[in-house]
Amino acid sequence: MSGVPVTCPLCEATCGLLVSTREDGTIGVRGDRDDVFSRGYLCPKGASIGELHADPDRLRRPLLKRGGRHVEVDWEEAFAEIERRLPPLLDTHGRDAVAVYFGNPTAHNLSGALYLRPLLKALGTRNVFSAGTVDQAPKTFVCGYLYGDAATIAVPDLDRTNYLLVLGGNPLVSNGSLMTAPDMRGRLRAITARGKVVVVDPRRTRTAEAASEHVPIRPGSDALLLLAMVHTLFAEDLVDLGLAAPYVDGLEQVRAIAAEVGPEDAAPHTGIDAGTIRRLARELAAADRAVVYGRMGTTAQPFGTLASWLIDVLNILTGNLDTPGGAMFPLAAAGQANTRPGPRRPFRHGRWHGRASGRPEVMGELPAATLAEEIAAPGEDRVRALVTLSGNPVLSVPGATRLEAALEELELMVSIDVYLNETTRHADVVLPGPSPLERSHYDLLLYQYSVRNIARYSPAVHDTDVPPEWHTMLRLAAIAGGLGAGAAVTDLDDALAQSLAELNAATPEPGLCGPERLLDILLKAGPYDLTFADVAAAPHGLDLGPLQPRLPGVLATGRIDLVPEPVLADLDRLRTFAARQPGAELLLIGRRHLRSNNSWMHNVATLNRAGNDCTLHLHPDDAARLGLADGADALVCSADGEVVAPVEVTDTIAAGVVCLPHGWGHQVGAPGRVAAARPGVNANMLGDLALLDGPTGTAAVNALPVTVRPATVQPATVQPATVQPATGT
């Protein structure tokens, strides 16, 4: 069976697919064996892309709320409604009266990656929120201060490492995160064949089962484990900065900080004995090529910034930064600012603060955990309008109950989304976009985290009468900028292209428009002397080679600030935590399934079968102590909310830890029939908004204290929202 090469945009792995349309109109999908990166690998999500495309519940026409119900309207009526309501609101209450929230799919969409910034500029608001402030802000914050640029993130050189230490990550299920790497199973097998993979995690995840060693840890204690490992490196004279040595400042400060916490100090809090902590540090230092990698378990917790900082510190102290097999800096073909020669303005945060929360911005965004507060807190300067782009914060952001109530207080809400979901059901106007097979694709952002430098473009496979998102975003920008809904999209796009070309000293290619023209400009300004035509002529991708050393040019100031002041400022919180007696409370962590992708793929039938379940994982000892049996309903309570979930008793979870997946809870306004039939519960109803990472305000969806007991009352189930078909339009 032949097929059209397509880059899968459903997760960070960016696998190459071959998509074909059968005689009966159904869509066939298989892995592209000629793809330069994925080599035929295919996961269940990628295999379902045809079903997602054909989903009858996916929106194909704009929706307008009338009398509390959504009705289908034509595009001009939808934009006329926005033009009628948005400019007067901005004129009366100012630019910060509108907020923007964008979800992860925006980063997997070429239009979203290229046209979001012009929309934000036209709106002129400082109230910008994203899914990134739920799951990765501590990592980007730390890299900004270490290397001078929040986009300068070192990723594991998986194909050449001999020792991989993973903390709080499950790449066999996530397919990688802040680490673009298809076929993680094959890559991990290769590492274990030539060396060792160690997974530190409260759960025996799929990745832990495939690893050489699994080390259970008490959630939220990663920073103490890492600091004790740093302590061991200094105490045993194992520090060797390697090639990074000439560029590192602050080594002696790190030595003094690490002296405070030894393995014996960390052991009671982490649940890892001192001997194992020392052994891990020694193994890391002794390995020929080694790297430490951390994800959600290390970022979405109370000490996310400190844990993220110490991961990079360990890579630096063991000589594994910017060296083959260690943590290396990708060199993307397009859109990567740190490829420009010479000094650049160094990263800083806190240029403004949230009106109600007082939380500082990071990378131009405020913490999503504070969005409800910015809407609901009284004041003339409160948020009165919200624009969401491919996001479902009601399910994705902690404090879901407060956020849902706050959305009802808005004077206007506009959403760009392919589904009517738990969030967009509150919108006054919903503007759909095309399916992944109806738009072209290039992973502009994710190639900046790729474990191998590649470039790959795929055109749309199917035609559609749904306008591309870049059209929609430019029209919204025109309304916000005072040009009106009738402004010509071609003129707006020409002006944007000319501005980008001047900024990058590149000539726009005649005959191109939209994302392809902007991509061509960025490729021409990139480090490989490529054009859009070059990339488009290679449907299976261009292999630009393995990661290469980039110090010191990748550094904004030419230096690595090993002990940034904003990170140091959070150490007192960790000292207080370390001085306490370890708690005995149950701690909640999240999880994801291979057949799930946050909240937005639960309406794909082939992905929602047995095994993709919203259950509460509970260790047998805890189940017996609490009087809970497998399949029984448990009431889970936090300081901020409660949910009822079915119990799954399993020894894959450590005692004292419970686990509930995120992205579920489709009882209200479910995106479709499949999701409504398997609603699950919304773990973010438990989010404690007082439990945030200090520097970034990232909510602690991991290491959240909860109580668990048998449930006596079943929660009510509300039927999903319905859409009234259009009449006469």
Side-chain angles (χ1 to χ4, degrees):
M1 179 179 69
S2 61
V4 178
V6 170
T7 301
C8 181
L10 301 182
C11 78
E12 293 189 42
T14 74
C15 297
L17 312 177
L18 290 177
V19 176
S20 59
T21 303
R22 304 184 182 100
E23 290 184 2
D24 63 359
T26 60
I27 294 171
V29 181
R30 60 191 177 97
D32 181 4
R33 294 186 180 277
D34 294 323
D35 186 86
V36 298
F37 201 19
S38 58
R39 301 294 182 186
Y41 174 78
L42 176 67
C43 88
K45 291 189 287 290
S48 72
I49 197 169
E51 188 175 352
L52 177 65
H53 167 80
D55 187 351
D57 294 320
R58 183 171 59 83
L59 300 180
R60 291 161 173 83
R61 301 191 67 184
L63 301 179
L64 188 63
K65 186 174 282 188
R66 290 176 176 159
R69 299 186 65 190
H70 284 102
V71 299
E72 290 184 345
V73 297
D74 64 31
W75 285 88
E76 296 311 313
E77 186 173 358
F79 280 113
E81 177 70 5
I82 298 169
E83 185 172 21
R84 183 178 72 83
R85 298 173 64 179
L86 180 60
L89 187 148
L90 294 173
D91 290 343
T92 302
H93 301 289
R95 293 283 159 174
D96 289 336
V98 63
V100 177
Y101 176 91
F102 56 96
N104 282 332
T106 308
H108 301 253
N109 182 329
L110 186 58
S111 288
L114 290 169
Y115 289 83
L116 173 62
R117 184 170 295 181
L119 173 58
L120 295 178
K121 184 177 180 180
L123 288 167
T125 179
R126 296 183 298 179
N127 287 309
V128 179
F129 307 82
S130 83
T133 65
V134 178
D135 63 13
Q136 72 181 47
K139 181 67 175 179
T140 53
F141 177 90
V142 163
C143 290
Y145 278 109
L146 283 174
Y147 312 121
D149 189 330
T152 300
I153 295 177
V155 305
D157 185 14
L158 294 179
D159 297 337
R160 293 180 290 190
T161 196
N162 296 326
Y163 188 95
L164 174 64
L165 177 59
V166 178
L167 295 99
N170 189 10
L172 280 188
V173 168
S174 67
N175 286 328
S177 181
L178 285 178
M179 176 178 67
T180 300
D183 190 14
M184 280 300 305
R185 182 169 293 278
R187 286 183 154 88
L188 290 182
R189 281 175 177 165
I191 298 171
T192 56
R194 63 179 180 263
K196 187 173 184 179
V197 175
V198 179
V199 173
V200 177
D201 199 290
R203 290 179 58 228
R204 192 170 69 247
T205 62
R206 282 179 179 244
T207 305
E209 289 177 344
S212 313
E213 181 182 1
H214 171 221
V215 180
I217 187 173
R218 183 80 169 154
S221 65
D222 304 80
L224 288 178
L225 165 66
L226 295 163
L227 196 53
M229 291 177 66
V230 172
H231 175 105
T232 301
L233 294 180
F234 281 111
E236 300 187 7
D237 198 23
L238 299 175
V239 172
D240 180 358
L241 303 184
L243 297 176
Y247 317 111
V248 174
D249 298 325
L251 183 63
E252 291 308 310
Q253 279 183 279
V254 174
R255 184 195 300 272
I257 293 166
E260 301 178 27
V261 179
E264 281 76 15
D265 302 308
H269 295 276
T270 62
I272 304 172
D273 65 87
T276 299
I277 295 174
R278 286 192 174 88
R279 175 175 58 81
L280 292 176
R282 292 165 183 161
E283 288 179 354
L284 184 66
D288 178 33
R289 296 180 173 187
V291 64
V292 187
Y293 165 76
R295 266 311 285 125
M296 284 281 289
T298 60
T299 55
Q301 57 142 300
F303 298 104
T305 291
L306 290 175
S308 299
W309 169 61
L310 288 163
I311 286 171
D312 276 68
V313 167
L314 273 176
N315 283 325
I316 293 168
L317 296 184
T318 54
N320 288 304
L321 180 71
D322 201 44
T323 186
M328 303 193 74
F329 301 102
L331 184 63
Q336 193 159 334
N338 63 28
T339 63
R340 296 169 184 165
R344 302 181 303 279
R345 180 181 300 173
F347 173 81
R348 61 189 179 95
H349 82 294
R351 294 168 294 175
W352 61 87
H353 294 71
R355 172 192 68 95
S357 69
R359 286 282 177 175
E361 63 76 33
V362 177
M363 290 182 65
E365 299 176 20
L366 296 172
T370 67
L371 174 57
E373 187 178 2
E374 296 298 336
I375 298 170
E380 283 300 311
D381 54 350
R382 67 181 178 85
V383 168
R384 299 168 183 267
L386 176 66
V387 178
T388 69
L389 298 95
S390 302
N392 192 358
V394 167
L395 292 191
S396 302
V397 174
T401 303
R402 297 185 195 183
L403 179 57
E404 184 131 35
L407 295 182
E408 287 297 312
E409 299 182 25
L410 291 168
E411 297 175 22
L412 174 66
M413 181 172 169
V414 178
S415 295
I416 300 177
D417 208 291
V418 296
Y419 282 116
L420 189 67
N421 61 30
E422 292 72 26
T423 297
T424 60
R425 74 185 188 90
H426 295 274
D428 299 285
V429 184
V430 185
L431 305 169
S435 85
L437 298 182
E438 294 169 340
R439 62 174 184 247
S440 60
H441 190 59
Y442 181 95
D443 270 298
L444 188 68
L445 298 180
L446 298 183
Y447 289 154
Q448 297 182 33
Y449 311 132
S450 180
V451 301
R452 189 173 182 88
N453 295 314
I454 75 154
R456 190 207 296 116
Y457 169 86
S458 56
V461 177
H462 289 271
D463 294 330
T464 180
D465 58 0
V466 177
E469 286 99 338
W470 65 274
H471 272 217
T472 301
M473 295 167 79
L474 283 178
R475 293 192 71 178
L476 287 178
I479 292 172
L483 299 177
V489 169
T490 53
D491 292 343
L492 298 172
D493 190 46
D494 287 345
L496 177 60
Q498 187 59 43
S499 175
L500 186 67
E502 292 173 359
L503 182 65
N504 288 276
T507 303
E509 190 68 24
L512 293 178
C513 66
E516 284 74 13
R517 176 165 54 180
L518 302 188
L519 176 59
D520 179 71
I521 293 169
L522 294 175
L523 286 166
K524 288 175 177 175
Y528 296 101
D529 194 27
L530 291 172
T531 66
F532 171 75
D534 296 328
V535 178
H540 306 288
L542 292 173
D543 185 355
L544 304 173
L547 306 184
Q548 299 293 331
R550 296 188 59 200
L551 291 178
V554 74
L555 306 173
T557 65
R559 309 295 301 171
I560 297 172
D561 183 2
L562 204 57
V563 193
E565 183 57 38
V567 175
L568 276 179
D570 201 36
L571 280 171
D572 280 344
R573 261 194 337 125
L574 185 64
R575 293 186 181 104
T576 301
F577 174 74
R580 294 200 320 246
Q581 288 296 318
E585 72 269 78
L586 288 172
L587 296 180
L588 178 72
I589 62 172
R591 76 177 185 270
R592 66 185 302 173
H593 296 292
L594 183 62
R595 294 178 177 272
S596 181
N597 195 1
N598 300 324
S599 68
W600 72 282
M601 294 189 73
H602 291 158
N603 207 51
V604 179
T606 56
L607 295 179
N608 286 282
R609 298 170 177 168
N612 186 14
D613 301 310
C614 186
T615 57
L616 181 75
H617 281 187
L618 196 64
H619 188 273
D621 292 349
D622 291 324
R625 176 174 55 84
L626 297 168
L628 285 163
D630 199 73
D633 286 329
L635 178 67
V636 187
C637 302
S638 71
D640 212 47
E642 61 183 44
V643 298
V644 174
V647 169
E648 184 176 345
V649 179
T650 172
D651 64 1
T652 62
I653 191 81
V657 184
V658 295
C659 179
L660 194 63
H662 65 272
W664 295 84
H666 300 297
Q667 292 98 326
V668 179
R673 288 160 286 187
V674 174
R678 302 183 77 240
V681 298
N682 184 357
N684 279 315
M685 292 177 68
L686 299 170
D688 184 352
L689 298 184
L691 192 64
L692 305 177
D693 174 60
T696 67
T698 302
V701 298
N702 293 301
L704 178 68
V706 295
T707 61
V708 177
R709 64 177 186 268
T712 56
V713 180
Q714 292 287 342
T717 299
V718 181
Q719 293 301 312
T722 58
V723 178
Q724 180 177 328
T727 55
T729 58

